[in-house]
Amino acid sequence: MRLLLIIFDGLGDRPAPELGGLTPLEAAHTPNVDRFAREGINGVLHGKSPGYVLGSPLALHLMFGYEEEGFPDRGPLIATARGYAIADDEAVLAARLAVADREDGALWLRERFIREREEACADLGAAIASYETGGHRFRYEYSGRGDGLLFVSSLDPARPVSFEVTDTDPLAVDQPVLRARPRAAARDPEAATRAAEALNDYLAWAHVTMSNHPASTVGGAPINALISKWAGPRPSYEPFLERWGMRPASLPDEEVVSGLLLEMGFHVSQEAGTDPESDLRVRLEAARARLDDGYEFVHVHTKYPDPMSHDNRPEVARDAIEALDRAMAYYWDAIGSDPSVVTVLTTDHTTPSVWAEHPRGKFNDQHGGEPGPLAIRGGNVRVDAVETFGERAAALGGLGHLRGADFMPVLINAAERANMWEMRPTPVHRHYRPRPEDLEPLRFE
């Protein structure tokens, strides 16, 4: 059997007073996903372990069965999505232009997202495109909409560059630009210290260069800072096909997720609608086509309701979930009756729309550490007694609490592709039954 994975980004949430103490998912009218829960087996999923707060790329990295220490971080994955080649000896950081005020020798961020000053940003990006300091070479590639990538390499081949430096982006305005520091767990503390010091020198130089550039003030407050985060090396993934024995395809809805899945060897295609309902329907239609094309693991990822929850608007998140549910009618019409497809419905992480310290309608960049609901339908799964698709209902289901490392083995078993763990017909120990091309017969002369 084949697997279809449907992810509603940031679906997990917290009880909201304005929704009668229900989460947006629990408060939403969702007959289609409730039917999915009734016909399947349910549980909750911790992307890593209980209480850990994850973003989409790390959550999917773990859910798809890769070890945490092999996660390259977002900077290199964004570079892959944008078509940049990464050299073996390079580190890559996401680096965004920003507006800042200089106070008491520090830069205080006033604007992190610059959208409407494209020509000025492009000129400034070119002005800070190349710099050498502290034995490191910095190359800034401006990508548009105030955003770019910073490639770092060592000038001395005997002293490789370290990516193990901290972020300088505080992820909030009215906060100081942070000093890059070596990570405490760096494998080479000396190299990490050198890289952090060189990065600070580059960012200070970039600030002076942009402050003195005539494009800085074109169209508004001075664009005079560069903020960096998510440093990492060139990614190195065992292909998903080899790890799990299924030909994979994805319809992702986030740039960094596209980069992640391209690195894993997925066939990635971009499909999108203009609102939650049309977005999911377009992706489900494309998923049906990918299944018909012979793909055995198809991943559908819609970004909703994540942005509504980030804005701390539980009623709007509820409405987005209801729109997604309407789109799920296509699933029942075109996919749900296919006996060869086992379908999984879940989320990658919790995005709370309810916070004690954040007012409604104010953007918040954080996620939550609560588990998300999970349901598996089709094949010969043990249908449990859960009647609705929601955070608290799912916790009563037959799957119980799963961690990211449990995710793919559970799916492989549901698709009846699992190999008995004690059996070793191939040199690499696998969860799945080997494909014919993986087997080598004993031959006689």
Side-chain angles (χ1 to χ4, degrees):
M1 285 186 283
R2 299 168 294 168
L3 283 163
L4 170 63
L5 170 61
I6 303 171
I7 289 183
F8 294 174
D9 197 295
L11 179 65
D13 212 319
R14 296 171 178 164
E18 52 266 65
L19 299 178
L22 301 176
T23 69
L25 175 58
E26 292 169 336
H29 177 63
T30 53
N32 287 306
V33 297
D34 288 345
R35 177 184 171 187
F36 196 101
R38 284 196 305 273
E39 295 187 10
I41 186 169
N42 298 263
V44 293
L45 177 65
H46 305 266
K48 173 178 164 63
S49 297
Y52 280 81
V53 179
L54 306 183
S56 296
L58 178 55
L60 291 172
H61 171 99
L62 296 173
M63 289 164 63
F64 288 168
Y66 295 88
E67 296 73 23
E68 184 176 359
E69 56 269 23
F71 182 63
D73 219 316
R74 294 190 185 203
L77 297 177
I78 294 171
T80 295
R82 294 179 186 172
Y84 290 102
I86 305 171
D88 289 337
D89 61 347
E90 283 184 317
V92 187
L93 300 83
R96 176 175 292 282
L97 299 173
V99 172
D101 292 333
R102 191 163 182 171
E103 298 177 8
D104 298 326
L107 289 176
W108 286 76
L109 278 184
R110 304 306 182 199
E111 188 176 348
R112 290 178 63 239
F113 298 102
I114 301 172
R115 304 298 195 204
E116 307 300 330
R117 302 166 66 182
E118 191 59 39
E119 185 174 350
C121 287
D123 289 344
L124 293 168
I128 60 171
S130 181
Y131 190 68
E132 293 181 2
T133 183
H136 292 73
R137 177 181 293 110
F138 291 83
R139 173 169 59 92
Y140 185 63
E141 296 283 356
Y142 180 68
S143 306
R145 294 173 61 80
D147 195 21
L149 293 160
L150 186 60
F151 294 78
V152 188
S153 58
S154 174
L155 295 172
D156 182 355
R159 306 174 81 183
V161 69
S162 172
F163 59 86
E164 294 178 305
V165 298
T166 59
D167 299 341
T168 66
D169 182 353
L171 293 180
V173 294
D174 301 324
Q175 296 290 325
V177 175
L178 303 176
R179 180 176 178 81
R181 295 183 289 175
R183 299 181 199 171
R187 283 157 283 194
D188 186 339
E190 182 182 348
T193 298
R194 290 197 307 270
E197 291 174 350
L199 176 58
N200 290 323
D201 286 347
Y202 169 76
L203 294 178
W205 170 82
H207 164 63
V208 172
T209 301
M210 287 190 288
S211 297
N212 294 325
H213 197 287
S216 173
T217 56
V218 174
I223 303 170
N224 58 359
L226 190 69
I227 48 178
S228 62
K229 56 189 175 184
W230 302 327
R234 179 181 178 179
S236 178
Y237 278 96
E238 178 185 37
F240 185 94
L241 174 61
E242 294 180 16
R243 181 156 291 211
W244 298 108
M246 290 179 289
R247 185 179 175 217
S250 176
L251 299 133
D253 191 24
E254 190 175 1
E255 183 179 52
V256 66
V257 173
S258 296
L260 174 74
L261 299 178
L262 285 168
E263 290 289 349
M264 290 181 182
F266 277 65
H267 169 80
V268 173
S269 54
Q270 304 296 337
E271 309 283 347
T274 56
D275 56 77
E277 182 176 354
S278 66
D279 186 76
L280 180 56
R281 183 181 177 91
V282 165
R283 294 176 193 280
L284 289 172
E285 290 173 349
R288 176 71 266 179
R290 297 293 88 75
L291 290 167
D292 292 342
D293 289 341
Y295 289 95
E296 301 159 295
F297 183 96
V298 179
H299 162 241
V300 171
H301 196 125
T302 180
K303 188 60 179 171
Y304 303 102
D306 184 72
M308 293 77 178
S309 296
H310 274 302
D311 284 339
N312 295 322
R313 301 171 70 186
E315 301 105 325
V316 182
R318 174 203 59 200
D319 295 345
I321 293 167
E322 291 183 348
L324 293 173
D325 185 80
R326 291 192 295 271
M328 284 292 288
Y330 175 84
Y331 167 81
W332 294 110
D333 292 341
I335 304 173
S337 60
D338 187 337
S340 71
V341 177
V342 171
T343 308
V344 185
L345 177 62
T346 189
T347 186
D348 48 353
H349 57 75
T350 288
T351 305
S353 60
V354 177
W355 294 85
E357 302 297 329
H358 293 280
R360 297 291 190 266
K362 183 178 180 181
F363 177 78
N364 173 32
D365 223 348
Q366 289 293 330
H367 293 164
E370 298 87 346
L374 165 69
I376 304 174
R377 178 197 170 273
N380 293 306
V381 301
R382 295 175 177 172
V383 177
D384 56 30
V386 174
E387 294 286 325
T388 60
F389 189 68
E391 293 91 342
R392 284 174 280 202
L396 303 175
L399 290 172
H401 284 244
L402 301 180
R403 301 187 184 201
D406 303 321
F407 187 69
M408 284 303 302
V410 168
L411 268 57
I412 291 289
N413 181 67
E416 299 183 354
R417 288 173 170 263
N419 188 42
M420 190 179 296
W421 189 240
E422 301 97 312
M423 305 298 290
R424 292 177 174 82
T426 57
V428 178
H429 199 191
R430 300 294 192 188
H431 281 276
Y432 60 87
R433 291 196 304 274
R435 302 163 295 175
E437 59 267 30
D438 296 329
L439 299 174
E440 183 176 333
L442 175 63
R443 299 191 183 278
F444 298 90
E445 295 296 334

